[in-house]
Amino acid sequence: MQNPESKKPAIVIFASGSGTNAVKLIEHASMNNTYRVLRVFSNKKNAPVLEKSQTRNIPTTIFNKEALYKSDTVKDQLEELKPELIVLAGFMWIFPQDILAEFPQRVVNIHPALLPKYGGKGMYGDHVHKAVLENNEEKTGITIHYVNEKYDEGKIIAQYETPIAQQETLDSLKQKIHQLEHKYYPIVIEQLLKGQHA
Ligand code: GAR
């Protein structure tokens, strides 16, 4: 008999940082039972996301530039796992063209600003929030988008905003953005898996 678990749509996650978004994606999957997280991939061997995933029983793969860009090591694993979506959660490298071609409109990223503002090479993590504060923006937010061959330029799937307070600091802004990401990323991923986004 086929394991009913294997009928649920599946994702893999690429993350290289603290992994708070990866954890929310994993926890949402286990609480709601609507999708499976097959594996977490990371290009940083000491990234906290690795331990956080393992303690939640998600297998991990560590890879380097060579494995991603100059060989089929990562691509072969993805072809074997056959995820419906490849979900980037704090992954900062350009995604290779050959994998994008294998998974058209199936690689998704989250960015901590309202694209097309504050996107592009070098615009990640704290750099984004510092630039937003320096420019005295009245609002910022998050963007969930498909990944293409350029940094932060793929088709936008969803955006969520938050106002910037007069006394906003880097830490308070980071916290606001993380709250939005944690709340919406798992929901949007689930909706995408159900075909609820164009
Ligand atoms: C998130 O805020 C995400 O939007 C950002 O990295 C952080 C990872 O946090 N991604 C980018 O800046 C992509 N350009 P996490 O490791 O706690 O999930």
Side-chain angles (χ1 to χ4, degrees), residues 15-23 49 52 88-92 109-113 118 120 123-126 128-129 142-143 145 151-152 174 177-178 181-182:
S16 11
S18 66
T20 64
N21 279 287
V23 165
V49 68
K52 288 178 183 166
L88 314 190
F91 182 68
M92 308 304 178
N109 182 42
I110 191 160
H111 186 78
Y118 303 103
M123 272 293 164
Y124 59 88
D126 284 3
V128 176
H129 307 312
I142 63 166
T143 303
H145 65 95
Y151 278 111
D152 307 321
K174 246 162 87 170
I177 291 294
H178 258 139
E181 294 186 329
H182 296 166

Side-chain angles (χ1 to χ4, degrees), residues 40-94:
V40 170
F41 290 79
S42 181
N43 59 301
K44 285 205 183 143
K45 64 176 191 298
N46 296 322
V49 68
L50 291 167
E51 203 194 321
K52 288 178 183 166
S53 305
Q54 287 153 12
T55 57
R56 290 167 176 83
N57 294 320
I58 307 296
T60 55
T61 294
I62 301 167
F63 61 91
N64 57 18
K65 280 212 161 96
E66 172 87 22
L68 185 65
Y69 298 111
K70 297 210 168 107
S71 79
D72 286 337
T73 319
V74 175
K75 189 167 155 246
D76 286 349
Q77 269 201 62
L78 291 171
E79 281 172 0
E80 203 172 307
L81 290 167
K82 298 187 178 42
E84 266 73 21
L85 291 178
I86 298 172
V87 179
L88 314 190
F91 182 68
M92 308 304 178
W93 292 353
I94 273 290

